[in-house]
Amino acid sequence: MNLFSDIVVRSPWLYRINAGSCNGCDVELATTACIPRYDVERLGCRYCGSPRHADIVLITGPLTLRVRDKVLRVWQEIPEPKVTVAVGICPISGGVFRGGHSIEGPIDRYIPVDVNVPGCPPRPQSIMEGVLLAKKIWLDRLNGIAPGHKEERHVSLP
Amino acid sequence: MFRFLKLLGKNLAQGPSTDPFPAKEAHTPERFRGRVVVNPEQCVGCRICHHMCAGGAIRIEDNEEKTGYNFTVWHNTCALCGMCRHYCPTKAITLSTDWHNAHTQEDKYDWAAHYSIPYLACAGCGAHIRMLPPQLAARLYAHSPVDMTDLLKLCPSCRQLAAARREEISNDTHEQE
Amino acid sequence: MTPTNKSNEIVHDALLQATELATQWTFDVKQNAFGWLRLNNTESLRPAAKALAENGARLCTMTAYVEERGENSNKKAIAYHFALANTVVTVTVPLYTAGCDTPVAVPSITSWFRNADWNEREFHEMFGIDIVDHPNPKRLFLDERLDAGIMSSLIPFSAMVHGAATRNLWEQVMAAKGVDITGSDGSYGLENPHGAPTDISTPPIEEPTFTPVSATAPENGN
Amino acid sequence: MSEALGKEFTLPLGPMHVALEEPMYFKVTVEGERVRHVEITSGHVHRGMEALATKRNLFQNIVLTERVCSLCSNSHPLTYCMAIENLAGIEVPRRAQYLRVLADEIKRVASHLFNVAILAHIIGYKSLFMHVMEVREIMQDVKETVYGNRMDLAANTLGGVKNDVDAQLFGYITRSLQRLEGHMQEIIDIYASNPMLCSRTVGVGVLPKDEAIRYGLVGPVARGSGLAVDVRRDAPYGIYPELSFNVITETGGDVHSRAMVRLREVNESISLIRQIAANLPEGKLTAPLPVIPAGQGCARTEAPRGELFYFIRTDESDIPTRLKWRVPSYMNWDALEVMMKDCAVADVSLIVNSIDPCVSCTER
């Protein structure tokens, strides 16, 4: 198995979750994903429509109370080993929305984040750097170099 | 068919529209609003940036010995809006064009710029102050006939006194002439 | 006669007839008119809405608010904003009476303005204001787990809700640098001392304010 | 399958639906392939921003309102600043007024192009989607070069604008417009006449004019139903009274008409930007700010999606006691029940997209 995974480098599939974002990061993610100018597929990644196929998940938005459980459910559906990327300052720290009555973030209160890409919104190239970093972590996890086993990574609701 | 060939020719001539990043460095416009950078020389600690910051990314607090203050910008909550830069009276804050921001979770709280800015002792009374930056002094004393450059190292009250005294003397000499 | 004056007058006359109150007018630099009318009680809302609807006004939105800032204030009011050509008319309805701050219910104006539906549901959930005869009284945006009236309970706020998250993050940022600020009472960016009157006339180039520490004074080693 | 046919059942769509950018949730009751009833569940992007605005000072709120939504991110701080300027009687310098309109029109072009691109995406016309998005990149580059960010321009501040735009940058903008215009004619032709596109959009999601009036609709949705409302003309602000532009209307009231209104408005915006470049006066960028008195003020502007309304109440402190805004999507969204009545299930996301829904705007 190890030999096989050494020879064959798999391609991570990307999935994005909007956790109550203002659209900025989502539009930039769509731009990064879907148009030839940024062409994320060059990095050996592609977007998929189902969390069950995903390897790298990109989360935007400050995590509102109303999406919290839905986001967590979708996140749990993604098979291990997965890598979580927080895109924009909102999921990382709450950004300008921190302290709002329906803000549940920062997202690492609930979900173990691996990569942060701050910006408001980050430019597509910056998002691509984040994806590259996430891909590296993901490959390390596949090869057992980096931690990230199921038992260590749990999500709990308060 | 002919139209198709024309289009093909046009597209071939145009070259690929794909941005070469990450194989090559991406083009960054001069005005790009990237990470906040503070010039400690220029900072007078007026806190207007802190007042303007909607993301709560700036923290200014005296150090333990009270000999200066620590100025911290946490990039992970900075909205890059440029309000701090716009309202900084001494232009101590700039936004760099650096957008290489992706980092791992271990670095989340390290993703900050820390500046340690010392107070000076007022040449008059010895109180802890920040030196008045020359540009700001030039604006404050724009209408004064006297050279005020050596007043910069005084605290506001000492400086006021000194400035008033000098203008008085200068007026007197003018009258005598 | 410019259209400005025309729609002004239409609104003015219609409201005067319906409520026996005169509308106050302000104008912006482009001479767009803004009308301001404060009703005495919720009873006059129906005739006012009817009069505006009959004269072709469109409901822009409504704003519910607590009139005074302060922990104990519960004087709520609703501002109804209508638009007609280049005129915006704000009809304010106080929801309290002399000596009684408990907000009274307001009649729904959905029968004249279809788009009042969402607005009314919103102030119901955000401010806990009751609506009489609403056709569709359900939550709009606010999650069921949050209490209705969350805006009015938060407006007389303390830094409690707000400061905690920011403080916690900053403690970690400074800890990463090796500075412990857990006991400090410094500001954490987003805590605005509530209600503190601040002169915002900028730019503040006059004189930066310091808290100068006298070098000669004995250090207070607390 | 045959059992389900002819029977009504409820089909949940969302909130993490692939076709939609933002979390929206519909309970669609269908009979066979036809939608009989739509129930909208909202609130997923409710961030409590109006409560937050009463905790931030007047300057912080410029940045906060810019983050209501990134697609109309310039309209929010603009209208917010205008509300305060109306309240305090601040007159914005003429150069700043020009630059404010410049930023607004650049955003309008990008926003409209994004919406019509998503339309192509939803009907599966991928090459058109990519083409329109690539054309939109011209405007994204303009935003990044002139303002420093691809989404949030941070152009406005109380009393004026923050950034000057010099002759060199205007030269760059004009060159970009020229490239954009070359593509626009082609794109408009495709949207107007492509048989595949037309068969999916013409007569779909019809909103009659009287319903548009009843729901109090604004912006391209109302104009697509033949209702000529445009705040830029009806209640002029900035330097719009001095510029010439047409209020675009279409009469079909369907998805196609709304897309055509947006596309033709892009051309109007290009012309507006050209007029600004030609007539920009010299002068200051910001007016001196007085102390903002206690009081209340309103302002309206035409955001890419329609009329945007702001209302502010202040006491003498620099923290507003109440800040309320109503975005165009607020009513347009409500009117989806009319547009989606008896439509095919496959058209749901198409119709939703045709109002250019801005969930983050609506729910704040």
Side-chain angles (χ1 to χ4, degrees), chain C residues 69-121:
Chain C
R69 204 160 7 204
E71 298 286 335
N72 302 318
S73 176
N74 197 25
K75 287 185 174 166
K76 289 175 188 167
I78 305 175
Y80 293 78
H81 313 281
F82 299 92
L84 189 70
N86 65 349
T87 303
V88 174
V89 185
T90 301
V91 178
T92 306
V93 183
L95 301 184
Y96 55 91
T97 46
C100 180
D101 278 5
T102 314
V104 292
V106 286
S108 169
I109 59 166
T110 42
S111 47
W112 298 286
F113 298 96
R114 167 65 186 74
N115 59 341
D117 182 335
W118 279 29
N119 288 288
E120 288 173 352
R121 281 159 70 185

Side-chain angles (χ1 to χ4, degrees), chain C residues 29 55 63 79 115 128:
Chain C
V29 286
N55 286 287
T63 311
N115 59 341

Side-chain angles (χ1 to χ4, degrees), chain A residues 2-16:
Chain A
N2 263 347
L3 183 70
F4 182 73
S5 57
D6 283 350
I7 301 167
V8 184
V9 181
R10 289 203 280 163
S11 297
W13 285 19
L14 312 177
Y15 183 74
R16 57 194 153 99

Side-chain angles (χ1 to χ4, degrees), chain A residues 72-104:
Chain A
L72 296 185
R73 201 171 60 228
V74 171
W75 188 84
Q76 271 163 334
E77 281 175 8
I78 302 169
E80 293 283 343
K82 58 190 156 197
V83 178
T84 310
V85 184
V87 177
I89 56 170
C90 295
I92 304 173
S93 65
V96 295
F97 305 120
R98 190 166 57 240
H101 60 235
S102 67
I103 302 295
E104 285 287 299

Side-chain angles (χ1 to χ4, degrees), chain A residues 28 37 64 66 96 102 123, chain D residues 42 44 46 56 137 150:
Chain A
E28 292 299 60
R37 182 168 186 199
T64 60
R66 202 150 196 183
V96 295
S102 67
R123 72 190 303 215
Chain D
S42 45
H44 295 94
H46 174 67
R56 307 278 200 263
E137 285 295 308
R150 288 162 50 91

Side-chain angles (χ1 to χ4, degrees), chain B residues 54 56 61 126 128 139-140 159, chain C residues 170 184 190 205-207 213 215:
Chain B
E61 199 177 46
H128 283 172
R139 279 160 86 182
L140 278 177
R159 189 169 64 236
Chain C
W170 270 107
S184 114
L190 290 177
I205 57 151
E206 292 309 324
E207 190 79 67
V213 183

Side-chain angles (χ1 to χ4, degrees), chain B residues 44-48 50 53-59 61 72 74 87 109-110 112 114 126-128 130 136 139-140 156 159, chain C residues 169-170 172-174 176-177 181 184 186-190 198 202 204-215 219:
Chain B
V44 291
C46 68
R47 293 174 151 267
I48 195 77
H50 173 270
C53 184
I58 294 173
R59 183 186 157 81
E61 199 177 46
T72 309
W74 188 34
Y87 285 102
Y109 297 106
D110 276 330
H114 297 270
H128 283 172
R130 281 294 296 158
L136 189 57
R139 279 160 86 182
L140 278 177
R159 189 169 64 236
Chain C
L169 286 170
W170 270 107
Q172 300 196 55
V173 172
M174 298 312 279
K177 178 73 180 165
I181 56 162
S184 114
S187 56
Y188 294 88
L190 290 177
T198 321
T202 44
I205 57 151
E206 292 309 324
E207 190 79 67
T209 50
F210 299 100
T211 41
V213 183
S214 167
E219 274 299 324

Side-chain angles (χ1 to χ4, degrees), chain D residues 74-350:
Chain D
N74 191 63
S75 302
H76 284 277
L78 169 66
T79 322
Y80 164 74
C81 290
M82 277 171 57
I84 294 177
E85 286 151 14
N86 285 348
L87 163 75
I90 301 166
E91 192 155 351
V92 177
R94 276 179 62 78
R95 187 178 176 87
Q97 290 187 25
Y98 270 82
L99 293 176
R100 278 183 168 185
V101 171
L102 172 75
D104 230 26
E105 293 302 325
I106 289 175
K107 279 297 283 187
R108 194 185 315 277
V109 172
S111 173
H112 281 354
L113 286 177
F114 185 75
N115 178 262
V116 293
I118 297 295
L119 184 149
H121 175 72
I122 290 172
I123 65 172
Y125 196 160
K126 287 283 151 75
S127 54
L128 181 63
F129 162 70
M130 285 188 193
H131 181 58
V132 178
M133 285 295 276
E134 290 268 304
V135 171
R136 174 177 174 268
E137 285 295 308
I138 299 175
M139 285 329 263
Q140 295 297 91
D141 282 345
V142 168
K143 287 190 263 175
E144 201 173 38
T145 309
V146 178
Y147 299 98
N149 190 295
R150 288 162 50 91
M151 299 302 291
D152 295 331
L153 304 186
N156 294 287
T157 188
L158 293 182
V161 292
K162 287 198 281 189
N163 296 315
D164 201 2
V165 181
D166 57 20
Q168 198 191 346
L169 280 171
F170 264 110
Y172 167 76
I173 294 173
T174 322
R175 284 194 302 280
S176 300
L177 289 183
Q178 215 155 6
R179 279 171 58 210
L180 178 69
E181 212 168 32
H183 290 294
M184 276 318 292
Q185 198 45 53
E186 190 191 12
I187 291 174
I188 291 181
D189 284 347
I190 295 172
Y191 277 88
S193 60
N194 181 283
M196 182 176 111
L197 215 146
C198 289
S199 67
R200 278 302 305 275
T201 55
V202 174
V204 173
V206 176
L207 178 81
K209 189 174 175 178
D210 56 336
E211 288 286 346
I213 297 170
R214 194 165 77 89
Y215 276 82
L217 298 196
V218 291
V221 178
R223 295 197 283 273
S225 296
L227 191 63
V229 286
D230 190 325
V231 184
R232 292 177 292 174
R233 188 200 59 191
D234 300 339
Y237 57 94
I239 41 111
Y240 283 112
E242 296 164 41
L243 304 175
S244 80
F245 62 98
N246 300 314
V247 176
I248 307 288
T249 53
E250 294 271 343
T251 48
D254 53 7
V255 173
H256 190 252
S257 302
R258 297 195 267 280
M260 290 314 291
V261 167
R262 292 196 181 96
L263 283 166
R264 289 169 58 201
E265 275 180 14
V266 170
N267 281 345
E268 293 298 321
S269 293
I270 294 175
S271 139
L272 282 168
I273 299 172
R274 287 231 169 92
Q275 293 173 46
I276 292 163
N279 300 317
L280 185 74
E282 289 298 320
K284 288 201 160 158
L285 295 181
T286 46
L289 287 184
V291 175
I292 308 295
Q296 44 190 7
C298 307
R300 292 195 282 166
T301 62
E302 183 76 15
R305 287 158 188 73
E307 179 203 69
L308 177 63
F309 179 90
Y310 264 75
F311 175 65
I312 186 168
R313 281 175 60 84
T314 53
D315 52 9
E316 274 157 358
S317 80
D318 74 341
I319 299 169
T321 53
R322 182 78 168 100
L323 181 63
K324 162 85 184 178
W325 59 95
R326 197 271 300 130
V327 299
S329 295
Y330 199 85
M331 291 89 70
N332 295 349
W333 202 4
D334 194 10
L336 275 178
E337 8 174 276
V338 179
M339 297 179 229
M340 290 218 255
K341 185 96 180 93
D342 297 334
C343 75
V345 177
D347 290 335
V348 168
S349 57
L350 197 56

